[in-house]
Amino acid sequence: NCLTDFHAMSLTRDKLYSLVRKWHTMISAHVDVKTTDGYVVRLFVIAFTERRPDQVSTNCYAQSAHIRKIRKKMMEIMTKEAGTVQLRELVKKLIPESIGKEITKQTRGIF
């Protein structure tokens, strides 16, 4: 009989550096969420702006008001998704990045 516990999940340094690009805005947020089985989990999210298909300018910087709205929405989604499940289901949500896809879908209209 062997009991295991989830400790951490993070990006490697080379993967993180491959995501960061010039002329884009990086938006990061973190939130502490208590799962239904009593674990307190700290979730970090990093988002990047992307160019629109019909955009002429080379950069795609977000205004500070947009950044605040996106960060607020990311924190709401993380709290909603992680606070209503147990730790085991949360890990299953993190692996296929279903929370990230939900954040992308919800914040597409802001910027």
Side-chain angles (χ1 to χ4, degrees), residues 1 6 11 15 18-19 24 30-31 35 39 50 55 57-58 65-66 70 75 81 84 88 90 96 108:
N1 233 356
F6 177 74
L11 292 174
K15 176 63 176 175
S18 70
L19 294 173
H24 296 267
H30 68 278
V31 67
T35 60
Y39 289 96
E50 60 183 17
Q55 184 173 337
S57 64
T58 57
H66 291 151
I70 291 170
M75 293 171 73
E81 293 286 331
T84 58
R88 180 169 289 146
L90 178 61
R108 185 154 311 266

Side-chain angles (χ1 to χ4, degrees), residues 25-101:
T25 301
M26 183 174 78
I27 306 165
S28 60
H30 68 278
V31 67
D32 293 332
V33 181
K34 189 169 189 175
T35 60
T36 56
D37 52 353
Y39 289 96
V40 177
V41 182
R42 179 169 288 163
L43 298 172
F44 292 90
V45 175
I46 300 173
F48 301 96
T49 57
E50 60 183 17
R51 293 185 63 196
R52 298 285 177 173
D54 57 344
Q55 184 173 337
V56 177
S57 64
T58 57
N59 60 20
C60 54
Y61 297 129
Q63 295 178 347
S64 60
H66 291 151
I67 292 172
R68 284 194 301 269
K69 286 180 184 177
I70 291 170
R71 188 175 290 129
K72 182 179 176 185
K73 194 67 161 173
M74 289 191 312
M75 293 171 73
E76 287 175 4
I77 292 170
M78 285 190 293
T79 305
K80 182 185 69 161
E81 293 286 331
T84 58
V85 295
Q86 293 184 351
L87 184 65
R88 180 169 289 146
E89 285 92 35
L90 178 61
V91 173
K92 289 180 183 176
K93 281 185 176 183
L94 291 175
I95 292 172
E97 296 182 17
S98 64
I99 297 175
K101 291 174 186 170

Side-chain angles (χ1 to χ4, degrees), residues 11-27:
L11 292 174
T12 58
R13 176 178 275 188
D14 60 332
K15 176 63 176 175
L16 184 62
Y17 288 166
S18 70
L19 294 173
V20 177
R21 298 181 182 220
K22 288 173 67 174
W23 315 116
H24 296 267
T25 301
M26 183 174 78
I27 306 165

